Every structure is written in C-alpha cells, then in structure tokens.
Amino acid sequence: MSVTDSELLHIVNIIRSVSRYDFCNYSEKSLKRRFSKVLLDYRITVPELVHRIRTEPGFIEEVVKKITVNTTEMFRDPQTWIDLRDSVLLELSRKEHISIWHAGCSTGQEVYSMIILLNEMGILDKTSIYASDLNADVIEIAKKGIYKYKFNISYLDNFDKVIRADNKDYPKIVKDVSYRKYFEIDQMKDTISIHPSLLKVPVFAKQDLVNDPNIFDIKFDLILCRNVIIYFNYNLQNKVFDLFYKNLYDHAFLLLGAHESILGPFSTKFEKKGSHYEKR
C-alpha cells in the first residue's frame, strides 16, 4: 500500500499537531516509503493510521521508531576510518582534551568503533564521547552493545582493515591485536558483545536534531553525522548544519556520510578536506 502526496502531507501535519515531532522537511520520497511500510506492518489504512495517532497515547512513539532509519555497522567504510585516523584524529591528538559527538548514532556500532580506534591510538583517556539519536529504542541497544554475530560478521573484516592496517604515524597500533580485547563472541548464542569497559565510556541521550538544541551543552572538536542528512530536504539540512557549526570549535571537524555533502550557505563556512570538513 503506497502513500500519496496528499496523504503524506495529512499524516505529517497530524503528527506535528499532536506531538513535538516535525517531519515537514524530511525527504518526501523517503517518508512515503517508510509510512507505506508502517501501513503494511500494522495492516491499516491511512485514515486508520491518523485515527490511532490522534487517539492512542504512545502510538506516535511507535510510528517514529518505525520511520527512523537505523542502519550502521562497526567501522563502516573502512577507508573513511583510516583517513579519519591519519588526519583528523592525529591532529586532535595534540590537544589536552578532545570532545566528540556522534549525532544520529543509531545502535552505537560507530560509537564503539571510535572508542576502539582512540584506545589503539593511546588517546581515549583524554577524550569525551557523546552520542544521540531520535529513537529511544536504538539508544537502549547502543547502551548494551550486544549485536547479532552471523549477521554482522563483516565487523571483524572491517576491524582488520582499520585496526590491523599499517600506520606510520601510530606504530604503537599492534597489527595482531586480538578481537577478544574489545569483543566477546558467542557463536552458540549468535552474539558479538562489546567489552563492558567500553560500555562505560560514551554518554548516550535521546535527541531530535530538528527541534532540540545541543543537549550536551559543550563544544566539540569532531562531530560525526553519517547517513542522516540524506533523509532531510535542503532547508532542514541547513538547519542541522547551523546547529553543528555553532557547537564546533573553530577549525574543528565534521564527518558526513560518503554520499552526503554541504551545499548552500554553509558551504562557505566549512572547508572540504578529503572525507571530512573543517570549520573555517
């Protein structure tokens, strides 16, 4: 069952009228696809969906969780992590303290990737890591750090490419570092679990990038927001870029997804440097 333009507008307006969520500036194509899946999952029509949103307390949260995208993996796009290590993190390592924000962190695999990399570089102790997402359920998954092993076996391949790769600037990174240093793998239970010591490092919080301010109330040296703004339209993207710009130190860094870029007024406020941006 597909959602028409007029039906999408009606659904979005109803959600905005009964909650603090505003999807007006999200990609219409993406929202249509996700609301169509909601109708299919619940086996309801658009009028029935609207009625439930209006009359059932808590149903709106279920819908929001279903329409938010939560795709991520450990060391996703390994070359991006290698570039990040050899440029951004190498430069930040000279600072007395580093603050990093993962905006739209999903189930947390990228957050733990960062923690592992910082630890191997010997700079984790002087780094504060914050992570946020709109979906409260994925935040809870991130806090536990337990993932499906067979489905995510590529995590170990990515780990090899990033952590076990040669690095002239950080020779202390041991190429034969054991997975057991960071993961507990239980093939019988089909789980790959993050070591408990790593779970204590990040601060996780629920946040709506569209409506909320910087809930951590600090400035950052690096913000990662990968594969999030691709679901926003031009106006909303610039609203989020404004949030990031105001909460980055001068000459701090922003990392977006491989197929995302800064267009419009903020293109002059950030300088593209390889796979990342630097605040001018």
Side-chain angles (χ1 to χ4, degrees), residues 65-171:
K65 290 170 185 176
K66 281 186 171 291
I67 66 174
T68 50
V69 177
N70 300 298
T71 302
T72 186
E73 65 183 59
M74 192 76 67
F75 292 109
R76 184 177 186 177
D77 304 322
Q79 187 58 50
T80 297
W81 286 92
I82 293 171
D83 294 343
L84 188 70
R85 179 195 66 194
D86 294 345
S87 54
V88 172
L89 296 180
L90 183 61
E91 182 171 337
L92 291 180
S93 69
R94 304 183 182 101
K95 298 190 63 173
E96 291 185 5
H97 185 264
I98 306 166
S99 55
I100 297 175
W101 175 20
H102 291 261
C105 68
S106 188
T107 44
Q109 288 94 321
E110 189 169 87
V111 180
Y112 295 117
S113 300
M114 178 64 73
I115 292 171
I116 291 169
L117 186 54
L118 292 170
N119 191 59
E120 288 298 313
M121 293 175 69
I123 56 176
L124 178 60
D125 287 346
K126 65 175 182 178
T127 305
S128 297
I129 298 179
Y130 302 84
S132 62
D133 200 277
L134 176 64
N135 188 329
D137 285 356
V138 300
I139 289 290
E140 291 306 311
I141 294 173
K143 288 179 179 179
K144 295 175 182 176
I146 301 175
Y147 309 106
K148 290 292 186 182
Y149 172 64
K150 291 178 182 177
F151 181 76
N152 297 304
I153 197 167
S154 62
Y155 291 176
L156 303 185
D157 295 331
N158 292 350
F159 181 95
D160 286 345
K161 291 174 183 177
V162 178
I163 298 302
R164 294 179 172 179
D166 289 321
N167 187 292
K168 65 181 185 301
D169 295 307
Y170 273 91

Side-chain angles (χ1 to χ4, degrees), residues 79 191 279:
Q79 187 58 50
T191 59
K279 178 179 174 180

Side-chain angles (χ1 to χ4, degrees), residues 92-250:
L92 291 180
S93 69
R94 304 183 182 101
K95 298 190 63 173
E96 291 185 5
H97 185 264
I98 306 166
S99 55
I100 297 175
W101 175 20
H102 291 261
C105 68
S106 188
T107 44
Q109 288 94 321
E110 189 169 87
V111 180
Y112 295 117
S113 300
M114 178 64 73
I115 292 171
I116 291 169
L117 186 54
L118 292 170
N119 191 59
E120 288 298 313
M121 293 175 69
I123 56 176
L124 178 60
D125 287 346
K126 65 175 182 178
T127 305
S128 297
I129 298 179
Y130 302 84
S132 62
D133 200 277
L134 176 64
N135 188 329
D137 285 356
V138 300
I139 289 290
E140 291 306 311
I141 294 173
K143 288 179 179 179
K144 295 175 182 176
I146 301 175
Y147 309 106
K148 290 292 186 182
Y149 172 64
K150 291 178 182 177
F151 181 76
N152 297 304
I153 197 167
S154 62
Y155 291 176
L156 303 185
D157 295 331
N158 292 350
F159 181 95
D160 286 345
K161 291 174 183 177
V162 178
I163 298 302
R164 294 179 172 179
D166 289 321
N167 187 292
K168 65 181 185 301
D169 295 307
Y170 273 91
K172 68 178 67 175
I173 294 182
V174 182
K175 289 196 289 181
D176 63 350
V177 60
S178 171
Y179 300 130
R180 290 192 295 272
K181 184 177 180 181
Y182 297 111
F183 314 123
E184 180 181 332
I185 297 173
D186 189 326
Q187 296 193 37
M188 294 295 292
K189 294 182 179 179
D190 190 28
T191 59
I192 177 169
S193 305
I194 303 298
H195 193 280
S197 63
L198 274 62
L199 300 179
K200 302 174 183 177
V201 175
V203 175
F204 287 104
K206 184 176 183 293
Q207 184 198 31
D208 182 354
L209 284 176
V210 177
N211 295 312
D212 292 339
N214 172 9
I215 59 174
F216 302 112
D217 199 29
I218 64 169
K219 284 202 168 185
F220 297 96
D221 299 292
L222 168 63
I223 296 176
L224 299 92
C225 185
R226 303 181 68 199
N227 307 302
V228 174
I229 67 162
I230 195 171
Y231 299 107
F232 299 161
N233 69 11
Y234 175 82
N235 291 332
L236 187 52
Q237 287 181 11
N238 280 288
K239 184 177 180 179
V240 174
F241 290 146
D242 182 56
L243 173 68
F244 293 160
Y245 184 83
K246 289 176 178 176
N247 290 285
L248 281 167
Y249 289 113
D250 290 342

